[in-house]
Amino acid sequence: MKRLPTGGRIRRDRPLRFTWDGRELLGFEGDTLASALLGAGVDVVGTSASFGRPRGITSAGLEEASGFAQILSGGASEPLVRMTGVGLYEGLAAESRIAKGYLATDMDGGRFDKRYAHCDVLVIGAGPAGTAAALVASTAGARVIMVEADDEVGGALLRDQELLDWKDQSFATLAAAPETRVLTSATAATMLDQNGAIVAQRIGCRVSPSARGGLCEQRLWHVRAKAIVLSTGALERPIVFQDNDRPGILLASGARAYLHRWALAPNRGLVFTTTDDGYRTALDWHAAGVEVAGVIDPRPHGRGELPQKATSAGIRVLHESVVETTFGDEAGRIRAVRVRTPSGAEEIQTDLLAVSGGFEPFLDLHLQRRGPTRYDATLGAPVPSSTLPRQWIAGAANGSMTLRDSLTEGARAAREALAAVGFTAKDWTPPTTAHIEEDAPSFLWLVPAPDGDESRSFVDLFRDGTVLGVERAVGAGIRHIEHVKRYTVIGTGVEQGRSAKTNAAALTARLTERPLATVGTSGSRPPVEPLSFRLLAGRATGERFEPVRTTAIHGAHVALGAVFEPNGQWLRPNHYPRPGESMEDAVRRECRAARTAVAVMDVSTLGKIDLRGPDAVWFLEQLYANAIGTLPVGKARYSIMCRLDGSILDDGVVMRTAEDRFFITASTGHAAAVVDWMEEWLQTEWPDRRVFVTSLTEQLSTVAIVGPKSREVLKDLAPDLDLSKEAFPFLAVRRGTVAGISEAQVARVSFSGELAFEVSVPWDLGAALWSSLLSEGEPFGILPYGLEALQVLRSEKGYIIVGQDTEGTTTPYDAGLGWLVSKEKDFIGKRSFARPALKAPDRPQLVGFLPEEPSFVLPEGAGLVSRVSPPPMEIHGHVTTSHWSETLGRSFGLAMVKGGRARHGETLYAPLEDRVVPVTLVDAVHYDKKGERRDG
Amino acid sequence: MLLIACPYCGPREESEFRYGSEGVPIPSEADDRTWARFLYYRDSPAGLFTERWVHTHGCRQWFYVIRDTLTHEISATGKLDEAPR
């Protein structure tokens, strides 16, 4: 094609530079990438995925079957972008990649944004029907959002040069309406339940980088509409014939759009049409002074107004004729076609073959939500048979192919939508249109290859799906259209075979000797066009991916050089390495301090819950598997809660702070879930019980002071508390002044097995408490310790971590906590313990293990077998926790092993990739079995 | 994404809520088989379904929703003590 010296809707005074495969080219404002390339003389835009055949642009819109590119500019490299759908801008850079793009590796480039919007009426498609609908809805005062995938509004009006003044006036009216928003370059990609729509809009990437300012490159809209008008128009179908994939073969409506919108025309155009509409292309070329080689029409006569006009204009029309094959030049571009006429065959020279196989509604958005369709015999394609709730379909999308019908249907849809959402439409008169009487189209679908070779007759250009492929599918016994799709891959490209589906169905119908109406077409899936991951991520990348929570003591951890580890959303110290120290050495040092002197840990992330009310005791008795009512005020108890099926939900410490008040801790990862669990029971089962649950997690900073010297460190900091063994025994809870902070809560609880105190103070005072403890403890060799040391210390004692040593089916009995379970009372989960499955002797049970090789630390998750053989081996259990123990001077761990408690002393094997590690099963408590250190 | 009308807060995006199934009454007396069915079996009707949701990232209140499982259309929501039996 070549650019005509005048005409089109491009701004010739605004040339734009862009690059294609590294070549710098020139286009104009108003161009798409497709039109800019055609205007620059690039008509081969890539090679096909499977056969490597040269391919060109096939359309000017959504029907595009081969013009897809990798866009390198615009914030992030984006694959498989439809070239007819991306507006040209200064600096656009693109690469030829028809069916195989690649993902961006740099997530930081560009700005991608999201917006949520609500409206009364969402109009999708700004052609004649949509424009009428938006006008009617907007003038009634409704909140209207209109989205248009094209850079310019108008739809078919632009290519058919109709009602352009009316269109301009209408959009001026819409622009002035305060509650109406028109989004261009905005593709309604996905339809959601309840009239939700996801719309992908190219914004800043349409503007040259220098003029872009703060605009984001692309924006994802989540629109929720009370009513939706689908005015998505129609798609033109190609016709299948041999070598129909050459660059220079376009849909007839697309060829017309290139003429009128972008002033692009061939040297000698030829039309192959089964519809009267195809004649418009020949007539418009003719009127623009372009040589027209003729119109090939399989129908016997041209009775309609347009064929009559073509004949009077002197355009050569060949009836009862078809294009049966094409010929290319050295680059594969179309050079000539062979036409089969009633009198024989004729070769006609052309550089652009415009093809029209008929129009069919574009129904992807309707089909995404399984909107019903029926086969329409006059269109040879599916049309909507009814709409989804609070949706209306108008114009060509509804199968109404004339301009007049589109306008009246659009207005009617808006009136009905308005009535449904509580607005009254004002009177509206559609603009006058000239009615052109069109003759019925014929349904040709396919021209048989003259030499019988159907391997070059393309049904799906994107996927290189051919007539031969469909023949093979049907020959293999496949009949269902969805199976044909998968066997042939026709319709599985990113464009979902939009221009291939109906032809594939028609061919299948013919080959299986069924009416097309009974074959149907394959479905449509969201999104209509690919959405980049970068757009879906929006601003939620990098540090904005997820909120990060830090404790009030975080600054001190940073100053101490802590290495952090995410724990849910919390950032917690894993260990505190000294300069040049390895992680292993740091952890050993921290463990030694806790076992032999004193160490502190920031445990502020623990879930902390205040629970109170007259029914607090009753409620906690239901919730926990162990007794609560017997707990005296000022005492704490390790407690465990189960789900109804008897599995462990969480563990924690319940402290009774008054007769009707409790302070409860939950594990860091389950804190929110435990509060939710309590609320669920209170609200859904026992709404009459008077219990209040309040999360205190972010209200209190808590520090654990651990080790044989912990009492001495605390003694001077809390002079009014008697910390002696007799006055403040294990599991006692007291309040007093600690480090000058009054009303601190001090609890003698221990997750390390050492003498330990947990001190809770108001959140903001956590850092002060921490620094007081560190300076007071200095003479005793106090050290801070992190999660890794905590893991070692707690597993040496056989203390479980719920979710690490247990999984969703582990009961308290499996975890060795049966001693805790109350026999006296009923509680959530108790009934399940009587089920035979939960009493089976071969259930996985918590055990300890010692690797035979004391220096080898097994990987957590390793499987344990009793006999090593070629796979498959019977798995007896798996390692849940595995560490080096500084205290034991060897490696050790915890495991869940079938019937494990009765198997202490037995040797099992962990078959790893490169070795087999024998382990001896032992009691889960590896250290201080009597708990004398803890109670001391 | 559904728009769910919390009876306490008004219509909100589905992402603010957590699903809570249909809320089967806990049997007070049950043999093993009945108990196991209560624990592990749920109806999955095609059509109208009364279920519980909680406004996790809002008021944290539980409420009922009548949803069509075929279309996801929500025909009613309300406070638990006003739920249809």
Side-chain angles (χ1 to χ4, degrees), chain A residues 116 118 192-194 224 369 389-390 644-645 675-676 679-681 683-685 693 695 831-832 834-836, chain B residues 1-4 13 18 24 26 30-32 35-36 38-40 52 56 60-62 71-74 80:
Chain A
Y116 290 79
H118 295 258
L192 302 172
D193 297 314
Q194 296 177 327
R224 177 84 60 185
R369 283 184 60 199
R390 297 184 303 287
L644 273 167
D645 65 1
V675 174
D676 283 354
E679 282 290 345
E680 178 173 353
W681 283 96
Q683 290 181 37
T684 64
E685 289 297 322
V693 180
S695 168
R831 171 64 186 84
S832 294
R835 295 184 57 232
Chain B
M1 199 74 81
L2 298 177
L3 191 70
I4 299 171
E13 281 286 330
R18 185 163 68 80
V24 181
I26 302 171
D31 58 25
D32 283 345
W35 185 253
F38 158 72
L39 286 177
Y40 301 117
R52 301 195 294 207
T56 315
R60 302 206 322 216
Q61 295 300 300
W62 285 83
T71 64
H72 290 325
E73 289 292 318
I74 291 173
L80 279 186

Side-chain angles (χ1 to χ4, degrees), chain A residues 679-698:
Chain A
E679 282 290 345
E680 178 173 353
W681 283 96
L682 283 171
Q683 290 181 37
T684 64
E685 289 297 322
W686 304 308
D688 298 332
R689 293 288 177 174
R690 297 194 297 166
V691 179
F692 293 97
V693 180
T694 311
S695 168
L696 297 180
T697 302
E698 293 89 351

Side-chain angles (χ1 to χ4, degrees), chain A residues 638-903:
Chain A
Y638 174 70
S639 302
I640 195 146
M641 56 174 80
C642 297
R643 300 183 188 88
L644 273 167
D645 65 1
S647 62
I648 298 173
L649 177 75
D650 195 31
D651 62 354
V653 174
V654 177
M655 306 177 197
R656 192 166 195 172
T657 53
E659 275 304 317
D660 58 354
R661 188 168 180 185
F662 294 84
F663 181 87
I664 295 167
T665 62
S667 49
T668 299
H670 300 145
V674 167
V675 174
D676 283 354
W677 178 250
M678 291 174 168
E679 282 290 345
E680 178 173 353
W681 283 96
L682 283 171
Q683 290 181 37
T684 64
E685 289 297 322
W686 304 308
D688 298 332
R689 293 288 177 174
R690 297 194 297 166
V691 179
F692 293 97
V693 180
T694 311
S695 168
L696 297 180
T697 302
E698 293 89 351
Q699 313 304 318
L700 294 173
S701 285
T702 305
V703 178
I705 306 124
V706 173
K709 300 278 169 49
S710 56
R711 183 181 280 127
E712 287 168 71
V713 173
L714 205 53
K715 201 164 58 187
D716 288 345
L717 285 174
D720 57 350
L721 282 176
D722 182 351
L723 297 177
S724 68
K725 186 177 173 179
E726 297 69 29
F728 204 148
F730 181 56
L731 294 176
V733 185
R734 302 280 183 265
R735 295 186 83 82
T737 301
V738 179
I741 303 163
S742 60
E743 286 295 296
Q745 177 177 281
V746 183
R748 253 196 82 178
V749 292
S750 177
F751 196 44
S752 58
E754 294 299 325
L755 170 69
F757 299 86
E758 272 182 19
V759 181
S760 298
V761 298
W763 182 264
D764 292 348
L765 302 177
L769 172 69
W770 177 264
S771 72
S772 297
L773 286 166
L774 281 186
S775 49
E776 189 67 28
E778 205 179 346
F780 304 96
I782 199 165
L783 288 181
Y785 69 103
L787 283 173
E788 193 64 24
L790 171 91
Q791 278 275 11
V792 176
L793 298 171
R794 68 93 193 166
S795 39
E796 285 170 350
K797 287 291 295 177
Y799 295 155
I800 60 162
I801 286 187
V802 173
Q804 174 173 340
D805 301 294
T806 70
E807 33 93 332
T809 66
T810 307
T811 69
Y813 295 98
D814 301 336
L817 297 169
W819 56 273
L820 207 65
V821 177
S822 169
K823 305 283 181 291
E824 317 296 323
K825 62 162 186 178
D826 194 14
F827 56 88
I828 295 166
K830 182 172 190 173
R831 171 64 186 84
S832 294
F833 295 144
R835 295 184 57 232
L838 269 66
K839 293 192 291 192
D842 64 343
R843 286 183 66 82
Q845 293 171 339
L846 185 78
V847 292
F849 71 84
L850 297 170
E852 197 168 86
E853 194 182 326
S855 62
F856 187 79
V857 179
L858 269 173
E860 287 172 356
L864 297 173
V865 301
S866 64
R867 205 167 54 83
V868 178
S869 68
M873 289 173 265
E874 189 197 342
I875 301 288
H876 284 243
H878 70 280
V879 173
T880 60
T881 293
S882 176
H883 293 284
W884 168 264
S885 166
E886 185 67 357
T887 310
L888 304 175
R890 58 161 301 138
S891 58
F892 78 109
L894 301 175
M896 291 297 283
V897 173
K898 285 180 186 173
R901 266 201 300 283
R903 297 171 72 172

